[in-house]
């Protein structure tokens, strides 16, 4: 492999390992970006650890590594600093060559994975007859981004919507609707999701209060499971109703996902129980079929079983997930399964994975991961609510983002005495408003809770979508103003890196490949956001200090190339986040 700095670290890594000699081939060079430009670009920190092991001076060890190191093509002579850090400064000539390669590469130096895997990303997954809430939104945004990164790396991704469309609650709901709202069960469009959710709550109340209703609801479930035509028809109508509402959100956010809800696994549930019984994992406890697992206890410290089949013969959320694991491995032939839900489901997945492992359903080369995330909070630090205290509807939440940006934009246009068409304003507001909501979600470490604030996410400065989108717009502006065709800058166009800010920008650009691979591995989209944020900052600093169109040749062309590469990198990076760019803003 040759291109870009994605491999610069790999090359340095290899060179260091080679310098250490065969006896230390397994040593991690502990190579990282330098915290301070004073110490160069990269720093290797393994001399200290080795010194302890070998009982020698760390600086002496660092010196012997440096003596054997062959990195002349990439770096200036490595420097030893402090107790035994080895500092590397990348040569401008190396950066230039790499940037030229990046410019010719449609993938901007992001390699395709050595081995293409089949990956299931299980995300979004709202529940029928219930509102899709901010937790589902977060799963949707994170899942889409993770799927995009994996797809770009050349993996075959199955984006699955594990919709909650099955279970005893449907017996209860259908029974209630038969009484309260029979039209809903025979005609499409009789209800909107808001009504359905309200009716669901009433049905639940009735269920909790009335034993006779409970009994009748159970019978309804049996009919559903036995595929009684009337009941199935009613169930289908309810599912369609919810599905349409979910689709509105997916369309607006440009989300591709395939529905494969819980009901899909219904035919495979009995085999889960049978096979667990055969493997001797099943224990009967109070009439229910359970698996007892290490590390799961209740508050009293008693073992907490995972219930696979209830006393009444019904199955659970976990049973369905076990069937889904098997299906995805045996039928879908996946190498990696990724589940994106809030951290509250961490125990559920830990249990499901443990049972599946004990039952030998997960081959050693299949990686199965729960990707948890924190809560979305309102500005008061509590669970997000509307101003009047109701749970927030996703449509309203997205609309408010768009409205807020529209108002900002209109005020700015007045201030700048700019005239724009109503279409331009509407489109910019829609794109930036939705992008801001996505970016706010993706730019946080997903493990932490975050406070949902329109003002913060729409700010033109800081780690926000508009700030990321702006340098792209700026570069398109340069192209319009100077009549520049970035694809045809001349045959002898060269990149010249004389200025500090040009060097800093060049180094940043060349890190794209390693960042994308890191996100593929750690499933932390905020790393990509942080990278794009730093890129935007570096470009803005460069642009504020140095002229581009007004510069003398050959510097002018070189700076145009740097600008174009920045714009392309932002466009690609934002695309991996599920965010489009605008030509003007
Ligand atoms: N429907 C579930 C919920 O709303 C999420 C499903 C996640 N995926 C899974 N395979 N369990 O909480």
């Amino acid at each position: 492999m040759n291109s870009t700095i994605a491999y610069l670290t790999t090359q340095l890594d290899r060179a260091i390992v080679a310098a250490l000699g065969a006896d230390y081939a397994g040593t991690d060079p502990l190579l990282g970006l330098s915290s301070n430009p004073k110490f160069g670009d990269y720093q290797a920190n393994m001399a200290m650890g080795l010194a302890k092991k070998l009982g020698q001076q760390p600086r002496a060890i660092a010196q012997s590594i440096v003596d054997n190191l062959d990195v002349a093509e990439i770096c200036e002579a490595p420097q030893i600093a402090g107790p035994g850090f080895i500092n590397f400064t990348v040569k401008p000539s190396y950066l230039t060559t790499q940037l030229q390669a990046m410019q010719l590469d449609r993938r901007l130096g992001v390699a395709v994975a050595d081995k293409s895997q089949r990956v299931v990303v299980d995300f979004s997954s709202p529940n029928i007859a219930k509102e899709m809430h901010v937790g589902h939104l977060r799963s949707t945004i994170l899942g889409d981004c993770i799927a995009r990164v994996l797809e770009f790396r050349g993996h075959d991704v199955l984006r699955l919507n594990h919709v909650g469309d099955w279970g005893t609650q449907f017996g209860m709901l259908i029974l209630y609707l038969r009484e309260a709202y029979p039209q809903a069960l025979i005609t499409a469009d009789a209800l909107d999701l808001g009504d359905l959710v309200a009716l669901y709550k009433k049905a639940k109340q009735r269920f909790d209060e009335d034993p006779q209703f409970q009994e009748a609801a159970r019978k309804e479930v049996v009919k559903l499971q036995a595929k009684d035509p009337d009941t199935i028809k009613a169930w289908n109508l309810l599912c369609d109703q919810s599905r349409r509402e979910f689709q509105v959100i997916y369309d607006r956010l440009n989300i591709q996902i395939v529905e494969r809800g819980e009901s899909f696994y219904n035919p495979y549930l009995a085999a889960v129980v049978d096979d667990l019984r055969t493997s001797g994992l099943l224990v009967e406890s109070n009439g229910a079929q359970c698996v007892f697992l290490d590390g799961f206890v209740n508050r009293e410290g008693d073992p907490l079983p995972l219930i696979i089949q209830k006393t009444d013969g019904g199955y659970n959320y976990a049973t369905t997930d076990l069937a889904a694991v098997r299906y995805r491995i045996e039928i879908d032939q996946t190498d990696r399964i990724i589940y994106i839900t809030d951290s509250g489901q961490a125990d559920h997945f830990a249990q499901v994975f443990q049972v599946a492992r004990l039952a030998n359903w997960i081959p050693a080369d299949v990686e199965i991961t729960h990707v948890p995330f924190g809560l979305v909070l309102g500005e008061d630090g509590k669970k997000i609510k509307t101003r009047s205290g109701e749970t927030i509807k996703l449509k309203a939440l997205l609309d408010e983002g768009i409205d807020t940006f529209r108002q900002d934009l209109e005020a700015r246009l007045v201030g700048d005495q700019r005239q724009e068409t109503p279409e331009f304003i509407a489109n910019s507001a829609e794109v930036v408003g939705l992008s801001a909501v996505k970016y706010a979600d993706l730019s946080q470490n997903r493990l932490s809770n975050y406070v949902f604030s329109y003002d913060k996410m729409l700010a033109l400065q800081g780690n926000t979508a508009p700030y990321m989108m702006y340098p792209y717009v700026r570069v398109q502006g340069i192209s319009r103003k100077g009549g520049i065709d970035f694809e045809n800058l001349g045959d002898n166009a060269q990149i010249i890196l004389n200025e500090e800010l040009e060097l800093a920008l060049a180094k940043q650009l060349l890190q794209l490949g390693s960042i994308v691979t890191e996100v593929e591995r750690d499933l932390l989209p905020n790393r990509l956001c942080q990278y794009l944020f730093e890129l935007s900052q570096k470009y803005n600093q460069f642009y504020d200090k140095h002229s581009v169109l007004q510069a003398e040749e050959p510097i002018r062309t070189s700076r145009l190339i740097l600008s174009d590469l920045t714009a392309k990198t932002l466009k690609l990076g934002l695309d991996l986040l599920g965010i489009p760019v605008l030509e003007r803003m």
Side-chain angles (χ1 to χ4, degrees):
M1 293 255 185
N2 49 13
S3 74
T4 84
I5 234 170
Y7 313 107
L8 172 68
T9 44
T10 320
Q11 280 181 17
L12 279 181
D13 241 38
R14 287 206 193 115
I16 297 168
V17 171
L20 287 166
D23 292 351
Y24 302 99
T27 314
D28 181 347
L30 300 176
L31 186 71
L33 283 171
S34 289
S35 49
N36 185 333
K38 221 167 60 195
F39 302 125
D41 300 313
Y42 290 90
Q43 191 169 62
N45 294 346
M46 79 300 195
M48 279 66 76
L50 272 179
K52 237 185 237 150
K53 235 195 258 159
L54 301 176
Q56 292 176 22
Q57 288 298 325
R59 280 191 75 103
I61 298 217
Q63 189 59 53
S64 70
I65 296 171
V66 168
D67 290 345
N68 285 305
L69 205 53
D70 178 14
V71 288
E73 207 191 303
I74 311 175
C75 302
E76 313 291 356
Q79 302 294 313
I80 299 170
F85 302 117
I86 307 174
N87 293 334
F88 301 91
T89 302
V90 182
K91 279 185 177 164
S93 60
Y94 180 84
L95 295 173
T96 310
T97 326
Q98 298 297 301
L99 283 176
Q100 244 130 20
M102 184 171 179
Q103 200 199 354
L104 295 175
D105 181 4
R106 237 176 358 96
R107 301 180 51 88
L108 301 177
V110 182
V112 172
D114 291 338
K115 183 183 169 289
S116 167
Q117 291 189 316
R118 178 155 257 245
V119 189
V120 163
V121 183
D122 174 322
F123 70 107
S124 193
S125 308
N127 302 312
I128 301 290
K130 295 193 194 164
E131 207 84 63
M132 185 168 172
H133 55 65
V134 282
H136 296 124
L137 180 69
R138 200 167 187 194
S139 171
T140 307
I141 293 170
L142 284 164
D144 180 52
C145 170
I146 286 171
R148 281 167 182 266
V149 168
L150 293 166
E151 283 154 359
F152 191 64
R153 286 274 294 152
H155 300 298
D156 176 11
V157 178
L158 209 55
R159 298 158 159 256
L160 291 183
N161 203 357
H162 193 83
V163 173
D165 64 354
W166 202 246
T168 42
Q169 73 270 29
F170 285 94
M172 167 189 102
L173 182 61
I174 292 172
L175 181 68
Y176 185 79
L177 289 174
R178 272 200 216 295
E179 293 175 16
Y181 220 136
Q183 315 84 291
L185 300 176
I186 42 176
T187 36
D189 290 328
L191 292 170
D192 72 30
L193 188 63
D195 296 338
L196 190 55
V197 172
L199 288 163
Y200 183 90
K201 284 187 189 140
K202 285 197 188 138
K204 176 84 174 75
Q205 198 181 354
R206 183 76 193 279
F207 184 87
D208 291 341
E209 285 165 0
D210 180 349
Q212 250 174 338
F213 184 84
Q214 274 177 32
E215 198 38 48
R218 288 214 177 88
K219 293 214 177 95
E220 207 54 60
V221 178
V222 175
K223 273 163 82 186
L224 183 64
Q225 259 152 2
K227 302 259 150 90
D228 169 81
D230 280 351
T231 310
I232 287 286
K233 181 168 180 212
W235 172 75
N236 268 321
L237 282 173
L238 296 177
C239 290
D240 280 345
Q241 197 59 57
S242 292
R243 214 170 263 145
R244 267 198 296 276
E245 301 279 339
F246 300 156
Q247 196 57 44
V248 172
I249 302 287
Y250 297 142
D251 287 347
R252 271 184 104 175
L253 296 175
N254 187 21
I255 305 293
Q256 305 296 324
I257 190 161
V258 176
E259 183 178 327
R260 202 196 265 170
E262 293 182 19
S263 64
F264 177 88
Y265 302 99
N266 192 40
Y268 309 99
L269 299 177
V272 167
V273 179
D274 289 346
D275 293 350
L276 289 176
R277 183 175 293 118
T278 313
S279 356
L281 290 167
L282 225 49
V283 175
E284 188 170 318
S285 171
N286 297 325
Q289 302 299 321
C290 310
V291 180
F292 284 89
L293 293 166
D294 289 344
F296 294 95
V297 289
N298 65 16
R299 259 188 242 135
E300 285 73 46
D302 299 326
L304 191 70
L306 182 68
I307 302 178
I308 307 290
Q309 190 171 24
K310 292 183 279 189
T311 322
D312 64 6
Y315 304 104
N316 273 341
Y317 183 50
T319 326
T320 306
D321 262 324
L322 284 166
V325 167
R326 299 181 81 181
Y327 192 93
R328 290 165 184 183
I329 291 174
E330 285 168 28
I331 311 292
D332 294 325
Q333 299 273 317
T334 42
D335 303 295
R336 191 176 184 191
I337 312 179
I338 295 167
Y339 299 82
I340 302 171
T341 78
D342 63 288
S343 314
Q345 298 199 33
D347 274 356
H348 162 75
F349 285 107
Q351 288 175 303
V352 166
F353 298 168
Q354 211 185 114
V355 172
R357 284 223 164 77
L358 289 170
N360 277 324
W361 293 340
I362 308 181
D365 56 354
V366 172
E367 191 188 341
I368 180 161
T369 325
H370 177 223
V371 171
F373 56 80
L375 302 173
V376 183
L377 304 174
E379 298 204 54
D380 56 0
K382 299 199 189 113
K383 238 175 145 177
I384 187 163
K385 293 259 156 68
T386 61
R387 290 210 180 89
S388 51
E390 295 128 51
T391 48
I392 203 149
K393 300 236 191 312
L394 290 193
K395 186 181 170 303
L397 180 126
L398 299 178
D399 285 343
E400 191 165 338
I402 295 167
D403 276 353
T404 312
F405 187 75
R406 183 185 298 115
Q407 285 163 23
D408 288 2
L409 178 61
E410 279 167 348
R412 228 167 341 110
L413 292 177
V414 173
D416 298 351
Q417 299 193 340
R418 235 172 96 190
Q419 291 285 343
E420 295 289 356
T421 62
E423 294 75 38
F424 173 86
I425 296 174
N427 181 56
S428 308
E430 172 92 11
V431 172
V432 180
L434 296 178
S435 300
V437 172
K438 285 190 183 182
Y439 193 88
D441 214 321
L442 295 167
S443 58
Q444 306 290 321
N445 182 318
R446 60 174 160 75
L447 293 166
S448 38
N449 297 342
Y450 84 94
V451 174
F452 194 94
S453 153
Y454 291 111
D455 291 341
K456 281 210 190 98
M457 68 178 70
L458 290 164
L460 298 181
Q461 295 294 326
N463 194 4
T464 63
Y467 185 75
M468 259 18 81
M469 296 166 90
Y470 195 67
Y472 182 86
V473 170
R474 190 169 242 181
V475 174
Q476 306 321 304
I478 294 177
S479 148
R480 280 192 299 273
K481 192 160 161 223
I484 307 293
D485 173 6
F486 285 122
E487 303 315 312
N488 291 298
L489 285 172
D491 293 338
N492 46 7
Q494 23 163 340
I495 299 173
I496 304 156
L497 303 171
N498 288 337
E499 305 291 341
E500 274 310 311
L501 294 172
E502 290 170 332
L503 283 163
L505 179 59
K507 288 172 194 167
Q508 182 72 16
L509 283 167
L510 291 171
Q511 277 172 47
L512 177 69
S514 54
I515 296 290
V516 173
T517 340
E518 217 175 286
V519 178
E520 173 194 6
R521 186 191 60 211
D522 302 337
L523 310 174
L524 287 169
N526 60 304
R527 293 285 301 112
L528 178 56
C529 295
Q530 184 64 29
Y531 167 79
L532 296 173
F533 179 43
E534 285 166 20
L535 177 62
S536 299
Q537 281 178 319
K538 286 182 176 151
Y539 184 75
N540 288 342
Q541 285 162 1
F542 155 79
Y543 185 86
D544 289 346
K545 175 116 188 257
H546 301 292
S547 43
V548 177
L549 284 175
Q550 306 307 321
E552 298 287 330
E553 288 296 357
I555 304 286
R556 180 179 188 261
T557 299
S558 166
R559 289 187 180 160
L560 286 171
I561 297 176
L562 286 177
S563 299
D564 180 41
L565 274 174
T566 302
K568 286 189 170 134
T569 303
L570 284 169
K571 185 173 182 186
L572 172 61
L574 287 169
D575 184 61
L576 294 176
L577 300 175
I579 295 177
V581 289
L582 289 169
E583 298 302 306
R584 296 193 307 126
M585 237 165 97

